[in-house]
């Protein structure tokens, strides 16, 4: 046993002594939640008592006195909620601001996959997120991004190999390997893929899946490889098959995908112990207007789910899946992560306790922002490495692939080719500009369905490699938009006739803003408005839709830095 | 990450590739269980399919071909059973023979606490048991004995401190700290006690409890200290309180204690996920005539428990509690530990598969015996270190404590004192002879309720320190019995008029025999017969009853090597 473990021993001993003393009522608790009616996730019932907290943990339920006491009469206490899978970057704000957004919704733990920032900054992206989430009133745990880049046809900052994961896999906040999207690599026994899985396994950690609708034998192979969960189920029978084969199901209800309605039959006595909730992506509007895991709980209960089952799915089940000890329950020896609600029907979060501290009580309490290494902050704010582009950079001759946008879907249609912009017929130019390693790679094609009538729209949120993607009615505005993003360290921009008409700065890795969530949201609303004013198709989200047009793993056509890629036939046009 | 982990990587990789290939039906499985109807512990139902096994693990369920195939039509397959808490020594045979006894009953994993042998041999006892259980067709996992000796008033070979546990706690087969009987030490924050708990905790392992009927705050403190289960519940309300406070309940049904009837209400939807089965002690007759975990399952089902719930309590629940990954279920990526039964009502075990091998199919298959270090075997067979005793060694004058045996209980009555043997009035002499460290300590008292009319009975199974305990009608036979045990490396002996009339050799640490279970059982039957012939109370088990009379933690009077101890007043008489 190494010395660092032994050094912990005396620290743990004095902590234990204090807790035991409070449990016995020899000393007053730090905090007592008096007369609490709480959900007991072990005995599946509501029980009542004073909940005594010492050193951040629940040490007893019964009759207790505390240095601070809160009367909980008439309230219901539930374990703090756990988001089983999210990419924090999707909130478009820094992790500290993300915490400010979700803590008032009763979330006390999220498991993040820093997939987006890792595509932009490599392991420094993971370092940044680890440091940016240290000491928040929200436990941020990590799964190491398994597919960076998403496939070999993408140009990201640099690939993440299993050897890059070695310094991270033993970190206590790292719970395993994130969504293994590359199921083809898994079932073909690709060594670089399997090595990542094995690395997680030999460190006693878990591996998340990402594999909707695999056929029976592919699923057997994928699970046999060591993949223990899935958050991509949009079909009940697919989810049930995965439960039967031993996977945990993360019922996803986020911004881009909403699977709760389809998966409601899982929320019953028979299957629910193998389920948890996840959001995957939460954009600013969703965080501001809907909430977080509490939103899913409310919806589930409205849909008819049993509240106690739903609470367990939102708390202890995720803790069990991830092997988080002493978390997800209101019981002695458990971390005092608690949400206080009014009742199951309205489900208003009235107070949130994180590690024994009241962090939200009608209003959010101030907390210290994490201390991030200055060089790392500097690095995160300087991720654009490309030369200025010009109108000429985007001029083309001859036939190029034509992507057809499908409303409410992220798949595209293969509409053949086009050879020039034709605004009247909604044939616009689309490009993906490499921005990590100054390769001057610019992939160009055409797109139909975006409906812009004038100007150009560009964003540095372009899955999964986060190069700059741009759609425009002319090459001049396209070039202006791309340069503006590069000059301003990232963001979403709308340009018309050479003028920037709207801009959402995303200066952290081109993905997140340092501003307040509400400010970011207002800027996005303004950008939406301006895009629609310029004619953009009102039945799509102009930025989210565009951000997926560069991801060359989703059918049918995508624009990458190397040109238009035909996913169905797995080749560049 | 250390090198030994990295070295595993390539080994794991090739194993995974083979399994994936079989899962995809690119290659035939090692074994296929065709047309299997099996209990799915995740979806809580019976399902049917071919179960494909590769490298010891289930890799797929569906349609598969195998190098070996077994038709399972008409049978029910359930996950192999797990005994959550046992002292293997209680079987009185060596661990290999124990495996021969329980494998045909569908048991594929036991969690043993080597408490008995550790009292006799210290850490060498743990070494012996680890080596004696390596490679058996039964996974034997360990919990490190927490209370060796049981209390400071016992003289065992040597005390086991937390520092002694350092070389073991990281062992993969060690799952944590065994039953923490010393609840007083826990709630009083005794550092030597808490250090053992913390040691287990910082290594990510669990701690078993042993604390019946604690009051609410003592229980809060005990759980807060980090104790996650209890196997001592004989009362439903006590068990429910522990479930509510987050402990797992091991429903115990063994030789010495039978709690299933009282705890039947736990075997329901609401509570059962926090329960598992344990035997604690299984003597040869119980193993031969009743079985093991299968016996508890049968009894539970006969008592009205739902078979699927009962199977889960016997398998996956224990795996989850102990953090045993990939065990306790029939699903891809799970270890192929499977029991084949005829039906839930008769529950006859027809076949047992351990790690993919058919180890029992009407008859038990041969298997290699573990290779134990010769010096360790030699040491285990030479644990008696005492000088010969004589009649004089047991002569006394004056008043000594009188223990009153209570039928069907292990508590005794404090019957005051006696000053001499009075066979007609059932006042016999009882003594406990120190046998580990040649201290010449002999504690002597009197006992009523044993009813022997002639001769003496002695055993080296004398909880928990396993000195030699003897009851006799005269000092001469007492001395003969003690010397015979010492000369023969341990066992149970009956002496009458200077002659040995029956002997059960227990030459491994004075606790276990190297002979076959059936032979040991026959010898015990003979010894019982002879003891009863000499007048011993037929309403008690003469040896089991005697073996607890030396344990100075159970009320009221006990005989130790240092004299008669008054447990109620915690002092020697």
């Amino acid at each position: 046993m190494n010395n660092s473990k032994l050094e912990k021993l005396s620290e743990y001993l004095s902590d234990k002594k204090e807790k035991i003393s409070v449990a016995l009522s020899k000393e007053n608790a730090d905090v007592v939640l008096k007369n609490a009616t709480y959900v007991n996730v072990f005995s599946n019932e509501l029980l009542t008592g004073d909940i005594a907290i010492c050193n951040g943990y629940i040490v007893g339920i019964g009759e207790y006195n505390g240095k601070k006491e809160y009367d909980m009469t008439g309230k219901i206490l539930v374990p703090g909620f756990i988001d089983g899978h999210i990419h924090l970057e999707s909130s478009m704000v820094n992790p500290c601001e993300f915490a400010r957004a979700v803590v008032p919704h009763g979330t006390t733990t999220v498991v993040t996959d820093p997939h987006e920032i890792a595509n932009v900054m490599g392991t420094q992206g993971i370092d940044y997120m680890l440091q940016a989430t240290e000491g928040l009133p929200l436990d941020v745990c990590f799964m190491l991004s398994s597919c960076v880049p998403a496939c070999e046809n993408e140009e990201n900052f640099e690939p993440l190999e299993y050897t890059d994961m070695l310094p991270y896999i033993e970190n206590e906040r790292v719970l395993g390997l994130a969504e293994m999207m590359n199921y083809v690599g898994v079932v073909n026994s690709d060594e670089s893929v399997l090595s990542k899985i094995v690395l997680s396994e030999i460190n006693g950690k878990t591996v998340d899946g990402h594999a909707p609708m695999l056929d029976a034998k592919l699923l057997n192979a994928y699970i046999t490889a060591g993949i223990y969960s899935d958050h991509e189920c949009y079909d009940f029978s697919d989810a049930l098959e995965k439960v039967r084969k031993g996977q945990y199901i993360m019922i996803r209800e986020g911004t881009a995908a909403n699977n709760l309605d389809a998966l409601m039959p899982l929320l019953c006595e028979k299957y629910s112990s193998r389920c948890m909730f996840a959001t995957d992506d939460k954009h600013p509007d969703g965080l501001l207007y809907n909430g977080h895991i509490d939103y899913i709980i409310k919806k589930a209960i409205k849909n008819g789910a049993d509240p106690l089952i739903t609470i367990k799915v939102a708390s202890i089940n995720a803790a069990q899946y991830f092997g988080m000890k002493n978390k997800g329950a209101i019981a002695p020896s458990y971390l005092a992560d608690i949400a206080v609600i009014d009742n199951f029907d309205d489900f208003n979060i009235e107070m949130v306790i994180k590690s024994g501290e009241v962090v939200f009580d009608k209003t959010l309490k101030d907390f210290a922002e994490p201390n991030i290494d200055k060089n790392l902050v500097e690095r995160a704010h300087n991720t654009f490495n490309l030369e200025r582009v010009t109108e000429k950079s985007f001029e083309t001759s001859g036939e190029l692939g034509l992507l057809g946008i499908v409303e409410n879907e992220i798949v595209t249609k293969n509409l053949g080719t086009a050879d020039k912009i034709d605004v009247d017929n909604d044939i616009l130019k689309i490009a993906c500009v490499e921005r990590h390693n100054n390769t001057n790679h610019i992939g160009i094609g055409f797109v139909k369905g975006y409906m812009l009538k004038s100007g150009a729209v560009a964003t540095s949120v372009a899955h999964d490699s986060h190069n700059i993607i741009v759609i425009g009615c002319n090459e001049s505005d396209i070039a202006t938009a791309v340069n503006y993003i590069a000059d301003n360290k990232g963001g979403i921009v709308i340009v018309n006739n050479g003028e920037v008409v709207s801009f959402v700065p995303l200066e952290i890795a081109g993905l997140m803003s340092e501003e307040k969530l509400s400010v970011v949201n207002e800027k996005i609303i303004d950008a939406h408005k301006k895009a629609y004013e310029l004619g953009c198709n009102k039945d799509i989200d102009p930025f989210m839709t565009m951000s997926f047009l560069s991801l060359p793993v989703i059918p049918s056509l995508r624009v990458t830095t190397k040109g238009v890629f035909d996913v169905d036939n797995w080749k560049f046009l």
Side-chain angles (χ1 to χ4, degrees), chain A residues 210-214 219 222-223 229-230 232-233 236-249:
Chain A
H210 170 124
M213 306 303 271
L214 289 186
L219 182 58
Y222 185 71
I223 293 175
S229 67
D230 200 277
E232 289 289 329
C233 295
F236 172 65
S237 63
D238 182 41
L240 179 55
E241 192 56 21
K242 284 170 172 153
V243 168
R244 286 173 168 162
K245 288 184 170 167
Q247 285 197 320
Y248 274 80
I249 301 303

Side-chain angles (χ1 to χ4, degrees), chain A residues 249-263:
Chain A
I249 301 303
M250 298 182 181
I251 300 173
R252 176 176 57 179
E253 188 80 6
T255 296
N258 295 283
N259 308 130
L260 177 65
D261 288 338
L263 302 184

Side-chain angles (χ1 to χ4, degrees), chain A residues 39 55 73 114 156 175 219 222 248 276 281 303 356 362 390 490 546 572:
Chain A
V39 170
N55 297 351
T73 307
N156 72 346
L175 307 180
L219 182 58
Y222 185 71
Y248 274 80
M276 69 194 93
D281 291 304
N303 281 357
K362 307 283 192 280
T390 64
M546 186 158 62
F572 284 99

Side-chain angles (χ1 to χ4, degrees), chain A residues 473-540:
Chain A
C473 301
N474 64 80
E475 286 80 2
S476 170
D477 283 344
I478 285 175
T480 304
V482 170
N483 286 331
Y484 195 84
I485 284 180
D487 292 347
N488 288 280
K489 309 180 175 194
I492 300 167
V493 72
I494 317 233
V495 171
N496 194 27
N497 299 323
E499 296 292 319
V500 170
V501 297
S502 189
F503 180 58
V504 184
L506 299 170
E507 64 274 27
I508 308 172
L511 300 169
M512 292 170 280
S513 167
E514 297 283 16
E515 292 188 276
K516 291 271 159 209
L517 183 70
S518 58
V519 172
V520 175
N521 187 56
E522 276 164 29
K523 289 186 177 175
I524 294 172
I525 290 170
D526 180 72
H528 273 125
K529 191 163 155 270
K530 297 288 164 43
Y532 293 134
E533 281 172 11
L534 292 176
C536 187
N537 183 349
K538 291 205 169 91
D539 292 327
I540 63 172

Side-chain angles (χ1 to χ4, degrees), chain A residues 119-164:
Chain A
N119 267 287
V120 176
M121 294 171 60
T123 56
Q124 284 193 308
I126 302 173
D127 294 335
Y128 179 85
M129 294 302 272
L130 278 166
Q131 292 190 24
T133 52
E134 186 76 49
L136 293 175
L138 171 75
D139 288 343
V140 182
C141 301
F142 286 73
M143 298 294 275
L144 298 176
S145 310
S146 64
C147 304
V148 176
C151 78
E152 72 282 7
N153 299 313
E154 281 202 272
E155 291 188 299
N156 72 346
F157 173 63
E158 62 183 14
L160 218 57
E161 303 295 345
Y162 88 89
T163 45
D164 298 314

Side-chain angles (χ1 to χ4, degrees), chain A residues 305-324:
Chain A
D306 174 73
L308 292 191
I309 285 179
T310 309
I311 296 298
K312 287 173 72 172
V313 170
S315 57
I316 187 73
N317 293 7
Q320 286 177 335
Y321 167 68
F322 285 107
M324 297 167 175

Side-chain angles (χ1 to χ4, degrees), chain A residues 445-465:
Chain A
F446 293 95
V447 64
K448 191 173 174 64
Y450 202 70
M451 298 188 187
L452 203 66
K453 297 299 170 205
S454 176
V457 178
T459 176
S460 54
V461 180
H463 293 288
D464 279 356
S465 290

